[in-house]
Amino acid sequence: MPQVITSADQLDFTVEDIPSMPLPSEVLMVRPLHYSVEYVINPHMADQVGNVNTIEAQNEWDLVRSLFNQVGIKVHVIEDQEGLPDMVFCANQSLPYIDEDGNRHVFMSIMHADQRKDEVPYIEQWYRQHGYEIHYLDEDKINDFEGCGDAIWHTGKRLLWGGYGYRSSMEAYETISDTYDVPVIALKLVNESFYHLDTCLSVLDEHTALIYPEAFTDEGLKMINKLFNTVIHASKYEAEELFACNASCPDGRNVIIQQGCTDVNKNLRDNGFSVHEVSTYEYLKSGGSVFCMKMLLW
Ligand code: ARG
């Protein structure tokens, strides 16, 4: 089996052939006391500089945190830092993994934008204190890699979906695949509004994905359709304005999602998922929602 897979022809296995991985039982979140939109590094941030309501943002974050608790996920909290207004989006600074012996590993990100590079050491410190083996990418060879913003675990499987094109480089996946010893299915992102894989793909359970099809190439769509039995499509409005595909389904059953995704939510319920709607309007202004606001851990 090739380790970094770029075409449907190379997918000579099914999901059942892939060894299983425990479901995450914890998340890490960063308290957004200094969250704001201060610069523009994705199209959603244009016209939003200075527009965040800080109190609202903190209330929304509290609700997201309590929803994770409610669905049985333990939440760890790190304090954010003044001068790092995007630190709350803690899906981006790392890619954790639990190996077959139960050892915890993490790759630290190489942030694409200079404005976000200083976030990484703070997150790294948390992993260090919690006994993770820390891995780094070679900055001489790899330009960027934004953690679980672009690298998404297939629910319950030792299989990674890797987005590239805007914030992460394809080359990162060679190293990650070798070190974690997992296949990576690389998906090129082609629509600037969907600059991270987690804005256009949500892996809901082993057999179900939620996607915004226009964010992918034809080959990418072929690979997605080949590995998932059910692929739910979000409309342009729900995907682009409400970040429907940035939902989080930590346990393969409960979906935490921005409120108002009417069509997607109906589809989710029809497919047996429990839907938990939450307002993340203040975070949509920065180009993020539920999935970006946490890091799943084991
Ligand atoms: N303003 C942040 C950025 O552009 C938002 C990050 C959202 N995170 C995500 N995983 N999509 O970097």
Side-chain angles (χ1 to χ4, degrees):
M1 180 189 300
Q3 289 292 287
V4 178
I5 296 156
T6 53
S7 73
D9 301 343
Q10 296 170 300
L11 283 177
D12 54 1
F13 58 88
T14 66
V15 167
E16 279 71 25
D17 300 330
I18 302 284
S20 54
M21 182 157 87
L23 290 177
S25 56
E26 307 186 354
V27 289
L28 181 66
M29 291 183 70
V30 174
R31 195 190 314 277
L33 296 186
H34 302 90
Y35 167 62
S36 62
V37 177
E38 291 180 11
Y39 43 75
V40 178
I41 54 171
N42 71 55
H44 304 270
M45 299 170 93
D47 302 328
Q48 297 293 357
V49 172
N51 270 352
V52 168
N53 178 328
T54 312
I55 302 293
E56 264 309 296
Q58 289 174 25
N59 290 339
E60 290 180 350
W61 182 87
D62 268 331
L63 282 177
V64 173
R65 179 174 69 157
S66 59
L67 271 178
F68 276 106
N69 267 326
Q70 254 179 54
V71 302
I73 303 279
K74 175 177 171 182
V75 182
H76 299 272
V77 176
I78 300 186
E79 302 304 320
D80 73 352
Q81 297 290 320
E82 197 177 345
L84 297 176
D86 270 333
M87 195 172 158
V88 63
F89 297 112
C90 63
N92 302 156
Q93 305 91 347
S94 67
L95 169 65
Y97 175 62
I98 186 163
D99 69 21
E100 308 215 24
D101 299 321
N103 300 311
R104 292 172 173 76
H105 299 258
V106 65
F107 260 103
M108 298 316 300
S109 298
I110 302 172
M111 302 306 286
H112 177 80
D114 285 343
Q115 292 96 326
R116 297 198 61 190
K117 287 188 188 289
D118 291 345
E119 298 171 17
V120 180
Y122 290 104
I123 305 287
E124 179 174 338
Q125 195 185 351
W126 186 91
Y127 284 114
R128 205 170 286 287
Q129 287 161 351
H130 287 80
Y132 279 70
E133 184 175 332
I134 300 184
H135 304 270
Y136 304 95
L137 295 162
D138 182 348
E139 301 211 19
D140 292 334
K141 298 204 184 101
I142 293 161
N143 289 336
D144 47 19
F145 170 67
E146 292 202 351
C148 292
D150 274 320
I152 300 179
W153 289 108
H154 192 108
T155 310
K157 290 287 171 180
R158 297 186 185 280
L159 171 67
L160 196 63
W161 293 86
Y164 67 97
Y166 294 106
R167 298 294 192 88
S168 299
S169 307
M170 169 73 172
E171 294 72 37
Y173 296 116
E174 301 282 348
T175 311
I176 292 165
S177 169
D178 282 351
T179 309
Y180 285 174
D181 194 22
V182 297
V184 179
I185 304 178
L187 295 172
K188 186 170 166 54
L189 302 178
V190 294
N191 183 328
E192 214 197 341
S193 286
F194 299 87
Y195 59 96
H196 272 147
L197 183 59
D198 72 4
T199 65
C200 46
L201 167 70
S202 175
V203 179
L204 299 169
D205 69 14
E206 205 176 304
H207 301 294
T208 318
L210 164 64
I211 67 165
Y212 180 62
E214 282 74 17
F216 297 101
T217 62
D218 288 346
E219 200 59 42
L221 289 173
K222 262 194 218 163
M223 294 193 280
I224 292 169
N225 288 321
K226 202 158 169 184
L227 279 204
F228 291 100
N229 298 343
T230 306
V231 179
I232 300 171
H233 289 190
S235 67
K236 180 169 160 62
Y237 171 69
E238 292 186 10
E240 194 165 6
E241 306 297 323
L242 300 179
F243 270 57
C245 303
N246 201 249
S248 175
C249 184
D251 56 0
R253 212 159 42 86
N254 289 289
V255 183
I256 306 177
I257 188 167
Q258 162 63 34
Q259 69 186 33
C261 299
T262 317
D263 294 342
V264 162
N265 288 344
K266 180 177 182 314
N267 246 307
L268 292 174
R269 291 194 181 98
D270 288 349
N271 280 283
F273 292 95
S274 296
V275 175
H276 307 267
E277 293 189 67
V278 67
S279 166
T280 60
Y281 280 111
E282 295 305 320
Y283 299 92
L284 297 177
K285 295 174 181 172
S286 189
S289 184
V290 179
F291 191 93
C292 316
M293 294 164 70
K294 58 91 197 73
M295 173 54 74
L296 290 169
L297 303 168
W298 292 270

